[in-house]
Amino acid sequence: CATAGMEPAAKQTRTPAEPYYGGAVIEPDVLAQVPALGHVLAWASARGGTFDGLRLAIDEYGGTGLFAARDFAAGATLAFVPRACALTAAAARASSLGQRIVAAATEWDLLDECTDELLLCQFISAGRNDASCEWHPLLAAMPAHSPEPCCWPEALRSELDGTPVGLAVSTAVSRMALYAARLAARLASKGIISEAAAAPASLLWARGMYHSRGYTGRIASLEAAAAAGLPATDGQADGVLLPVVDLMNHRHGQQITWLVEADGVRFVAGEAVSAGEEVCTNYGARPNEELLFSYGFVLREPAADSVSLVLAQRLAATSAGPAGGSRC
């Protein structure tokens, strides 16, 4: 997802030639750019998803965004995503592939490489190119490139050296490389996953999809998951990937509510949305460091500005205490 400007797009109306799925319309240039979006809409609609009045169109960044094809009043439902379309770490673990991975890791004494996040990333990496995977329509419709900095070229990532974000990025990249070497490569050698799915670049892409497109915390908290009957995780990766609504860009101050219900997640407009206007979500009050690390963008709004200070204390290695040391 990206950020969205406040200027609404031109008003849009459906033409008979445009594909129509679950109440949503896909503009022909979007379908030509990403044919898999038609498949994921059909897949989500067949599972009970409703996207009435939404239009998939090219946004101001050249990607695909969600726009209102009609007026929505405040309090109106923008979209409903059923539980059957919610991909979580628990769903990945319960899948046949997840069970094979856990069984192999247990046999090889590598269960420490089967954290929720690593297992989910491996599942995403494998499922994107596996048409037999239940979640393939969702995964195949995701962008080919991840926006978050773990997937940036190394020369660009080096611009973050010496910053808290840079440290977090290098730690995440190193952790995924360790997983790829210890478990993924071995899974591929045994034919459990493909070599492509075990490649560090593919695993980092999967991680980027989870972090930049997943709805975390407020939707996928353990309490909300339990109340809604959604598969709950052990807290290591409490996010959820949802089709279609993951196309919503972020807009600072956007009024929108995510309601976890017994059979899925409902997105409700917190303010009126006019036909032709982009339908956006709101990631909440997050500092630019977090937005950059997880989503690959920063905001110009002053409220998003913050500076991390790392306070260090150096003590002299004597029994006399900190004399000669320094504090800052």
Side-chain angles (χ1 to χ4, degrees), residues 47 77 82 141 167 266 279 296 321 324:
R47 290 182 166 217
T77 295
L167 177 60
R266 186 175 304 276
V279 178

Side-chain angles (χ1 to χ4, degrees), residues 187-215:
L187 292 170
S189 71
K190 298 298 182 180
I192 298 174
I193 59 174
S194 67
E195 291 187 3
S202 182
L203 292 166
L204 283 174
W205 170 86
R207 181 190 178 281
M209 292 300 101
Y210 169 68
H211 280 273
S212 67
R213 305 180 76 80
Y215 285 87

Side-chain angles (χ1 to χ4, degrees), residues 87-122:
L87 176 56
T88 64
R93 188 177 292 274
S95 70
S96 59
L97 175 59
Q99 292 178 35
R100 292 181 68 193
I101 291 174
V102 171
T106 301
E107 178 184 350
W108 302 331
D109 196 22
L110 289 173
L111 275 178
D112 57 326
E113 298 296 337
C114 278
T115 66
D116 276 355
E117 181 168 326
L118 289 173
L119 185 60
L120 180 57
C121 289
Q122 183 64 86

Side-chain angles (χ1 to χ4, degrees), residues 105-185:
T106 301
E107 178 184 350
W108 302 331
D109 196 22
L110 289 173
L111 275 178
D112 57 326
E113 298 296 337
C114 278
T115 66
D116 276 355
E117 181 168 326
L118 289 173
L119 185 60
L120 180 57
C121 289
Q122 183 64 86
F123 185 84
I124 294 170
S125 178
R128 69 187 296 203
N129 293 316
D130 180 5
S132 67
C133 175
E134 177 186 3
W135 301 92
H136 176 70
L138 169 62
L139 304 177
M142 291 181 175
H145 303 286
S146 170
E148 53 86 47
C150 288
C151 293
W152 290 359
E154 188 172 352
L156 184 57
R157 277 208 315 262
S158 67
E159 298 292 327
L160 298 173
D161 289 351
T163 69
V165 175
L167 177 60
V169 168
S170 63
T171 300
V173 170
S174 297
R175 182 65 185 92
M176 193 61 77
L178 179 64
Y179 166 82
R182 294 190 69 204
L183 182 57

